[in-house]
């Protein structure tokens, strides 16, 4: 009865112990099986397991275990233990040191089992004559040749020159289009200043005919629109002046009628005053005539004021009409001056870009393909005990975490070619062709 009760308990305890031992055996990273020290910025996972004799099982110390990163000074800060210097210790030395310190701190009979697993290595850096220099992930056993492949392989100078030539050719073509636009706009402005009915464009040699036709068509539309706007403004001012002139004529006719009314009332008032003095009529009649005379004179003053304002408006409208063309010519002249300055800058920029393109094409034509056959040299910079060491490496050199690999492709100076007697003329022709 007792033996049947203890058998399952012993069985499960044995299974747990075997599983814990298997866990400890598998937790060690293959990269840490040797004595390689941990490089700065290495991310690790620390696991601590203690055999509990009283319970007959293993227990993990999750409070001390976890993920940590080695600092640039080569230390790891652990709870309860504080800062621990990694230095040049390998995996066995480091785990033994942690276990020993825990045993001393806690007062254990047996030291706990400590394992370290690397989660993330510091990256390596590839610089120099490579296609895509930058930062790359490290893995154990990585060689210089493999890092070269990760960075896209060696940079090909000929392809770089061709890319630069294509870029300069595109810029040159864009500058030519800008010059064409500026020249067409300047022709339109000159036609506006001269008061011409049509625009005469100067044909640009080598320009895209379809592109030129589109630019010229747009400038003609702008020319017609601006001419129509000027004509509408002139017509509006002319009509306003005619309307004001007609209004003044009407007011002058009303002024003549007002003078007649005033003259008539004045005559009547003279007669009524004589009759009032003789006592033949009442004085109220005289007062009515005097009030009527005052009203007529006030109306006359309003008419005179209106006529003066109308004449002032006619003068202002005439000045606007006469200054409309002058103002437009002045605005067009300022715009043309600014456009000429812009055109001069574009021509200067085109000259410089064309010269750069000729130099690039000459360098491209003179580049020797055999330069790619020369051996590539590698230099590795590695941190070692707080200092940076540099050494020449080969394709099979094994890299360490944090290494900087510099790739240098040797270059040879261009030599004159017997088959190319006049390379400048050839490159200039090619530059003109690419800009078109």
């Amino acid at each position: 009865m007792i033996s049947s009760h203890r058998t399952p308990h012993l069985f499960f305890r044995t299974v747990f112990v075997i599983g814990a031992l298997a866990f400890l055996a598998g937790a060690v990273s293959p990269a840490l099986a040797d004595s390689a020290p941990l490089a700065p910025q290495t991310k690790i996972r620390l696991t601590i397991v203690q055999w509990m004799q009283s319970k007959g099982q293993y227990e993990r110390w999750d409070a001390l275990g976890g993920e940590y990163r080695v600092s640039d000074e080569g230390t790891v800060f652990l709870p309860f233990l504080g800062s621990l210097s990694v230095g040049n210790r390998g995996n066995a030395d480091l785990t033994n040191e942690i276990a020993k310190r825990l045993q001393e701190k806690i007062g254990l009979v047996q030291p706990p089992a400590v394992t370290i697993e690397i989660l993330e290595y510091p990256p390596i850096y590839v610089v120099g004559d490579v296609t895509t220099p930058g930062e790359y992930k490290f893995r154990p056993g990585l060689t210089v040749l493999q890092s070269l492949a990760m960075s896209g392989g060696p940079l090909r100078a000929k392809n770089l020159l061709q890319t630069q030539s294509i870029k300069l050719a595109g810029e040159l073509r864009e500058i030519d289009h800008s010059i064409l636009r500026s020249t067409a706009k300047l022709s339109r402005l000159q036609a506006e200043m001269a008061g011409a009915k049509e625009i005469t464009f100067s044909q640009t040699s080598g320009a895209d005919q379809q592109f030129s036709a589109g630019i010229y068509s747009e400038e003609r539309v702008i020319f017609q629109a601006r001419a129509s706007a000027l004509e509408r403004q002139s017509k509006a001012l002319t009509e306003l002046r005619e309307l004001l002139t007609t209004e003044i004529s009407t007011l002058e006719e009303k002024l003549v009628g007002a003078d007649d009314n005033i003259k008539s009332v004045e005559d009547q008032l003279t007669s009524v005053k004589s009759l009032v003095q003789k006592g033949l009529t009442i004085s109220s009649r005289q007062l009515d005539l005097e009030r009527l005379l005052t009203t007529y004179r006030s109306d006359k003053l309003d008419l005179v004021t209106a006529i003066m304002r109308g004449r002032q408006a006619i003068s202002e409208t005439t000045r606007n009409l006469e200054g409309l063309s002058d103002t437009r010519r002045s605005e067009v002249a300022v715009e043309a001056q600014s456009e000429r300055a812009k055109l001069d800058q574009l021509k200067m920029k085109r000259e410089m870009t064309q010269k750069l393109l000729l130099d690039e094409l000459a360098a491209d034509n003179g580049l020797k393909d055999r330069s790619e056959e020369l051996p590539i040299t590698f230099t590795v910079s590695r941190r070692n005990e707080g200092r940076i060491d540099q050494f020449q490496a080969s394709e099979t050199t094994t890299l360490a975490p944090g290494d900087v690999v510099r790739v240098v492709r040797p270059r040879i100076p261009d030599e004159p070619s017997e088959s190319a007697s006049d390379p400048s003329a050839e490159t200039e022709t090619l530059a003109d062709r690419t800009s078109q």
Side-chain angles (χ1 to χ4, degrees), residues 126 129-133 136 145-156:
V126 184
D129 297 332
V130 293
T131 304
T132 53
Y136 294 94
L145 183 60
Q146 290 171 340
S147 69
L148 179 62
M150 293 166 63
S151 59
L155 183 66
R156 302 183 183 276

Side-chain angles (χ1 to χ4, degrees), residues 166-194:
I166 293 173
K167 181 180 178 180
L168 290 174
E171 292 179 359
L172 188 62
R173 183 178 180 85
E174 183 178 354
I175 293 173
D176 287 338
H177 288 173
S178 299
I179 291 176
L180 178 61
R181 293 190 187 94
S182 183
T183 304
K185 182 179 180 179
L186 194 57
S187 300
R188 189 250 300 167
L189 294 175
Q190 291 173 349
E192 289 182 359
M193 285 191 296

